[in-house]
Amino acid sequence: MTATDLRPTAAVLDQSAASKPKNMGQILRWVLLFLGGIMMIMPIAYMISTSLKWPHEVYNVNLIPEEPTIENYTYVLEDGRFYLWFMNSIIIAVITTISNLLFDSLVGYTLCKFKFPGRQIVFIAILSTLMIPTEMLVIPWYLMSQSFGWLDSYWGIMFPGLMTAFGTFLMKQFFESVPDDFLEAARIDGLNELQIWWIVAMPLVKPALAALAIFVFLGNWTAFLWPLIVTNSVEMYTIPVGLSGFGDEADVAWELIMTGAAISTIPTLIVFLIFQRFIIRGVVMAGLKG
Amino acid sequence: MQIYANLTIRQKHIIWAWAFLALPVLFYGIIRFYPTGNAFLISFQDWNLLGKRTWTGWDNYIKLWNDPVFWKVFKNTFAYLLIGTPISLFLSFLIAYHLDKLRFMHGFLRMLYFLPFMTSAVAMAWVWRWFYQGVPIGLFNNMLASIGIPQIEFLNSTTNALPAVLAPAVWAGLGFQVIIFMAGLRAIPTSYYEAAKIDGVGWFTILTQITIPLLRPTIVFIVVFSSIGFLRIFDHVFNMTTNNPGGPLNATKPLVLMIYDTAFNGFDMGYASAQTVVLFLILLVVSLIQLRLLRSD
């Protein structure tokens, strides 16, 4: 249970006054929410189901394949491109996530725990970048990439997202809760400022780091507009760009598109199912504090 | 080293702080601020990427004002916002309100609603695109056909295409909003509900007099967050209409798709930049309204 779950909620109050009609109401509520929930996952369920069907069965509306097959996956993976795109996406998402964890927390920490001339200006400057939509920057980024030769490279795909203002403010908020006494004690023990940040402060904000990691990873894994613009050779595509082009090829069968879609979705679904409670807490933290 | 040792603690702090900030400040300058200025500059130029850059003053903006496609796109962009935001706000509140009152398999139900948020927009756009195909391919029309209802044109219809493209966007964002609403509901002190219960107040009065007023900050956050999302819609539209970008007669084309087309298919960088400036201004106004609404609390 998360900390907030310890509080008595409306549900507890309802139970204390439980009577027969109330119970019926609760059962009805549960059934309706359950049916709604099933409808919510139907698109995902059909995607996976279709990816496991033989071509002759694809257009039947049954959810459970009559003769499940992994033929589609074998075909798509043997083609090799999805493997490449998958690896590109992993490399880009992992490097970007690490970069954000390091720099966003370092900047957040500095803005939170140091007093120095220019602090307010840096703070406001970074804050103001939240107002600038990515869509406004893609054209200048493209021109920049063109003149520096960054087009169609990992660096070109990654550079815009290496630090984010959102992450910086999320981390700054969480460093507020780290007592200055801890840092002072470490200073007296003779640690330098870099060590204090890394050894003392960082472990205290692990939940926030995890939340940030999830957001940055998911954001980069699913990013589409900028990778679409900056890549032009098939080998450099990320998985969303690759999938988009793959679906658009003439005569690609729907079950193969569904297989590609499943390949790009299943990793994040698995991560979610493992770290579910943790991720939901992270979403709330980031949503409310960020 | 001798010099460093002689500094006061405060001076040392200043040095450390700027050492930590050096690289990030450079990054924000080069990757955020310089391109922002550049976008404004290019919007006053005529440039097709290969030829010369020439200053044209307000020409791009005047062209935009007189471009019927732009007004169509402008209307579409706000249609996404004005249809999508109320629907997702209503649905997510409805789900969160009832889910909050349940304990039995609470985590499991929550997971069902949240799962779509973890998917990639591109992948799901293709899944929904398949759903929308005509008989005998698309799932929806096959289902309709099996119960004897005539088939519906989704993506090829000028009236149905926009809602059809919007549906997966609403669907994917719902889980996030439900989670945020539930956190907001949990934050309401139970003493309010207890007091209402003692006074014998009905559920509807509790909902309209206690729950909704106290959820105001949460509602404002969700409205702004989803509004900005719908104003920037691109992935779904692009992928569901690759055969006919922007749908029949631009029926689904949002501003970001127009920007992409102008810049990377038409290579009219100045005109595209002017469109991005317009997008920026729209988002700015929405954010300012949010600040205003939150302040008045």
Side-chain angles (χ1 to χ4, degrees), chain A residues 5 8 26 29-30 33 37 40 50 59 117 125 135 140-141 144 159-160 163-164 193 244 247-248 268 272 287, chain B residues 16 18 28 30-33 35 98 101 104 113-115 118 126 130 136 142 171 186 190 221 232 239 242:
Chain A
D5 282 342
Q26 284 293 78
R29 178 175 276 154
W30 193 90
L33 276 176
M40 285 295 283
T50 307
Y59 302 137
E135 291 80 4
W141 284 341
M144 196 186 251
F159 80 86
M163 300 178 204
T164 57
E193 295 300 329
S244 179
D248 213 24
T268 54
F272 173 69
Chain B
W16 276 108
W18 280 104
Y28 281 98
I30 298 171
I31 312 293
R32 295 281 188 272
F33 284 101
H98 289 289
K101 291 185 189 304
F104 180 63
Y113 286 97
F114 191 75
L115 219 46
M118 298 298 290
W126 282 93
W130 166 55
N142 279 341
W171 168 75
R186 292 283 162 83
T190 47
F221 171 76
R232 294 172 59 186
N239 283 288
T242 42

Side-chain angles (χ1 to χ4, degrees), chain B residues 215-271:
Chain B
L215 274 181
R216 228 183 86 113
T218 313
I219 294 172
V220 171
F221 171 76
I222 289 179
V223 167
V224 171
F225 191 86
S226 69
S227 299
I228 291 176
F230 288 125
L231 288 172
R232 294 172 59 186
I233 192 167
F234 174 75
D235 299 6
H236 290 100
V237 193
F238 183 92
N239 283 288
M240 293 176 85
T241 60
T242 42
N243 51 341
N244 182 12
L249 303 171
N250 293 321
T252 61
K253 200 179 212 172
L255 192 47
V256 180
L257 186 54
M258 186 178 182
I259 293 168
Y260 176 82
D261 262 350
T262 314
F264 299 103
N265 291 327
F267 296 105
D268 193 344
M269 292 298 167
Y271 194 33

Side-chain angles (χ1 to χ4, degrees), chain A residues 192-263:
Chain A
N192 71 37
E193 295 300 329
L194 193 66
Q195 289 170 320
I196 296 173
W197 165 66
W198 184 252
I199 299 168
V200 182
M202 284 291 262
L204 294 171
V205 292
K206 268 187 195 154
L209 289 170
L212 180 62
I214 291 158
F215 266 87
V216 175
F217 189 91
L218 189 62
N220 280 281
W221 182 261
T222 60
F224 182 61
L225 179 63
W226 175 244
L228 175 71
I229 292 168
V230 76
T231 56
N232 42 41
S233 63
V234 173
E235 301 81 54
M236 287 312 298
Y237 285 175
T238 59
I239 215 163
V241 180
L243 179 61
S244 179
F246 179 76
D248 213 24
E249 282 164 20
D251 301 326
V252 170
W254 281 104
E255 67 270 22
L256 295 178
I257 300 176
M258 292 303 114
T259 309
I263 291 173

Side-chain angles (χ1 to χ4, degrees), chain A residues 14-248:
Chain A
D14 274 0
Q15 275 154 16
S16 64
S19 59
K20 273 262 157 57
K22 206 120 221 184
N23 278 336
M24 281 308 291
Q26 284 293 78
I27 292 169
L28 184 67
R29 178 175 276 154
W30 193 90
V31 169
L32 289 177
L33 276 176
F34 177 73
L35 292 176
I38 295 296
M39 280 177 60
M40 285 295 283
I41 59 161
M42 269 307 150
I44 301 169
Y46 267 105
M47 170 184 77
I48 294 170
S49 136
T50 307
S51 73
L52 298 171
K53 284 180 177 175
W54 290 100
H56 65 82
E57 210 194 327
V58 166
Y59 302 137
N60 295 351
V61 294
N62 59 320
L63 187 57
I64 312 291
E66 275 158 24
E67 310 158 59
T69 170
I70 55 161
E71 200 56 39
N72 297 322
Y73 287 88
T74 326
Y75 180 87
V76 164
L77 291 174
E78 268 175 7
D79 177 75
R81 285 175 297 173
F82 269 93
Y83 174 76
L84 263 179
W85 300 335
F86 194 90
M87 293 319 283
N88 288 344
S89 276
I90 293 258
I91 291 167
I92 285 155
V94 166
I95 295 178
T96 311
T97 305
I98 293 171
S99 167
N100 272 275
L101 289 178
L102 289 177
F103 286 110
D104 292 356
S105 60
L106 185 59
V107 176
Y109 175 79
T110 310
L111 291 174
C112 176
K113 295 297 181 192
F114 285 88
K115 304 264 173 292
F116 58 95
R119 174 168 169 262
Q120 206 59 22
I121 297 169
V122 173
F123 179 78
I124 291 170
I126 296 178
L127 186 69
S128 68
T129 63
L130 279 173
M131 291 298 207
I132 306 162
T134 320
E135 291 80 4
M136 189 172 172
L137 302 177
V138 292
I139 294 169
W141 284 341
Y142 181 82
L143 305 175
M144 196 186 251
S145 306
Q146 202 183 32
S147 40
F148 292 138
W150 295 347
L151 290 179
D152 216 21
S153 70
Y154 283 150
W155 171 255
I157 302 170
M158 284 188 299
F159 80 86
L162 291 176
M163 300 178 204
T164 57
F166 162 77
T168 304
F169 288 100
L170 185 73
M171 295 317 299
K172 182 177 176 295
Q173 293 275 2
F174 278 88
F175 281 119
E176 306 274 4
S177 65
V178 174
D180 290 343
D181 297 352
F182 280 31
L183 312 178
E184 207 48 56
R187 234 159 250 149
I188 291 164
D189 285 348
L191 269 64
N192 71 37
E193 295 300 329
L194 193 66
Q195 289 170 320
I196 296 173
W197 165 66
W198 184 252
I199 299 168
V200 182
M202 284 291 262
L204 294 171
V205 292
K206 268 187 195 154
L209 289 170
L212 180 62
I214 291 158
F215 266 87
V216 175
F217 189 91
L218 189 62
N220 280 281
W221 182 261
T222 60
F224 182 61
L225 179 63
W226 175 244
L228 175 71
I229 292 168
V230 76
T231 56
N232 42 41
S233 63
V234 173
E235 301 81 54
M236 287 312 298
Y237 285 175
T238 59
I239 215 163
V241 180
L243 179 61
S244 179
F246 179 76
D248 213 24

